Structure formats: structure tokens, C-alpha cells
Amino acid sequence: MFPLRDENPTELTPYITFVLVLANVAVWLMVQGAGAEAALTESVCSLGAIPAEITGASPSGRSPCAPGGLGWSALGTSMFLHGGWLHLIGNMWFLWIFGNNVEDSMGHLRFVVFYLLCGLAASGAHVVMQPASAVPMVGASGAISGVMGAYLLLYPKVRIDTLFFFVIFVRVIPLPAWFMLVYWFAIQLLGGFATPGAGGGVAFWAHVGGFVAGVLLIKPFERRQLVEAKRAHRKLDPREIPNRGWF
């Protein structure tokens, strides 16, 4: 299942969501060389989160990188790196679909903090569950998982047009957000338990950690006035939005 769009109009222009998309694309093009082998390898090894280097544990398996990563700082830098074009495009698509409405629910600057906290929680969860892994972890999917967890609590009944495909059966089906997001989370959880090693290149526990962080953090970050207006399908007068939605 792949989300195509949601039926959830926004009150605020999603400036931060747009900036985050641009930042990830800029890092991919300028730091990672748009996937050129040398630049991609160098960026992933120097800026990616390598659990064994962070925890100081004896690496399990052979490391594709020479020692000398950023250590704990890589928990932050890794969330702006990607492993390929499809990885980047898929993450940015999910961020755009779910991020604009979550930003809309809390204001721009709160969303920046929320996003970064979810990303750090996701990276931390991966390190805790894979403390001796020598494989670098990169990607915005942990932070985006937090955005999806927040969306689940905020707008569970919103319809999401979802591309469903099974062998030769392909159809766009409108699904309630709660169904799609719970299904997605269950897949990540099962993937984490089923692959105790490196996870075949997928950081399942980062997805789980980010999602849980989003669920736990959304209540202190949300702005009830904005959320209630959206749920009631009521268009707010700009004068009803304090600080123009920034705080």
C-alpha cells in the first residue's frame, strides 16, 4: 500500500515541511553527490549513525566504513542523508503528505522541534536495539515516522487515497488514516522482530521508535484551536490564528 494524497486541507502554509524537503534534497545533491559512488560512500560513512561507534561495542559483522564517524552527533546528521534516489523520493513523498497537516496542527516552529525530536528518538531506538551493528544508518524515515504517529492521533478518520497492488491487481482505494498507519506500524514492528540483525538494509526499529515518539509528543505540541477547527472542517479567520501560526 502506498499513500497518494489525503483529504485534509490545511489552514497554514507548510513552510517548514517545504524547507525540510528542500534541505534533504540539497544534502543529497550537494553532500552526497546525487548518488555518485564516492560521495555517497563518504557521506554515509562519515555522517551516518553507526551504532557500534556510538556505543563503543565490538562491531558485529564487517564494517563497510573505516573508523572515525561522528559518534553521537551522527544521530542528528544521519536523518538528512539517504542511500539512493528511491529512498529519498519515497521519504519526501511521505513527509509531504503527512507533514503539512501535522505542521498545521501545531505551528511552524513547534513542528521543527517536534520533527527533530522524533528523528533523534528514532536514531536512538535503532542504536539501542542494534548496539553492535557496524552498518551506518541514514534516512529521514525515522523522523517522518514520528510525523505519521502524530497524524494517527490527530486525524484517524481522514481518508487517504492509497495505491493498493497485489500481483496484477492495482487500484486506488480510499482508506481511513488509522487503518493505513496502524498497518504500516505493524509491518515495521514485525520487521524489527523478524530481522534481529541488520534488517536487510531497513532500520525497522528506527521507524518504530520514531512512530512511538510522535504518538507520545503530539499532545504537548499540538494547538487545540487548529486541530479542532480542522476536525470540524471549519475555516479559521486569520485573526484566530495567534502569531500567524509560528508558535
Side-chain angles (χ1 to χ4, degrees):
M1 291 195 297
F2 190 83
L4 297 177
R5 56 189 170 270
D6 66 346
E7 300 174 1
N8 202 6
T10 57
E11 295 284 346
L12 305 174
T13 303
Y15 296 119
I16 301 304
T17 300
F18 186 62
V19 167
L20 287 170
V21 170
L22 286 181
N24 279 275
V25 172
V27 169
W28 172 250
L29 295 176
M30 300 173 66
V31 177
Q32 300 192 271
E37 185 176 357
L40 181 62
T41 301
E42 169 62 23
S43 63
V44 167
C45 286
S46 61
L47 300 174
I50 304 175
E53 289 193 358
I54 292 171
T55 62
S58 297
S60 60
R62 189 172 181 179
S63 175
C65 303
L70 285 182
W72 286 102
S73 299
L75 296 181
T77 58
S78 63
M79 72 176 81
F80 292 94
L81 302 172
H82 290 85
W85 277 103
L86 289 180
H87 190 201
L88 173 70
I89 293 170
N91 277 346
M92 295 305 99
W93 185 261
F94 273 70
L95 175 56
W96 183 254
I97 288 179
F98 297 106
N100 58 357
N101 282 288
V102 174
E103 180 178 351
D104 203 44
S105 76
M106 61 181 65
H108 308 302
L109 295 183
R110 288 189 187 194
F111 183 63
V112 174
V113 177
F114 174 84
Y115 181 90
L116 294 176
L117 286 177
C118 287
L120 291 173
S123 299
H126 176 75
V127 170
V128 168
M129 298 304 294
Q130 305 284 343
S133 174
V135 179
M137 183 198 72
V138 297
S141 53
I144 298 167
S145 298
V147 173
M148 294 165 67
Y151 197 104
L152 172 63
L153 289 194
L154 290 170
Y155 311 113
K157 297 180 180 179
V158 167
R159 294 286 178 177
I160 297 177
D161 289 338
T162 305
L163 180 64
F164 180 86
F165 46 89
F166 181 73
V167 189
I168 61 172
F169 178 81
V170 179
R171 181 171 296 178
V172 175
I173 303 174
L175 296 173
W178 71 264
F179 181 88
M180 195 210 131
L181 293 173
V182 169
Y183 171 82
W184 181 89
F185 180 71
I187 293 297
Q188 307 313 307
L189 199 59
L190 289 173
F193 283 117
T195 52
V202 179
F204 289 111
W205 289 115
H207 299 169
V208 171
F211 193 93
V212 171
V215 168
L216 295 176
L217 290 173
I218 186 54
K219 286 301 178 183
F221 275 86
E222 71 174 0
R223 295 176 61 182
R224 296 301 306 166
Q225 186 180 20
L226 289 170
V227 174
E228 289 171 3
K230 285 170 67 66
R231 287 174 177 168
H233 303 289
R234 181 173 69 88
K235 187 71 175 178
L236 285 175
D237 187 289
R239 292 171 296 182
E240 295 182 79
I241 304 175
N243 303 308
R244 297 183 180 272
W246 282 96
F247 300 101

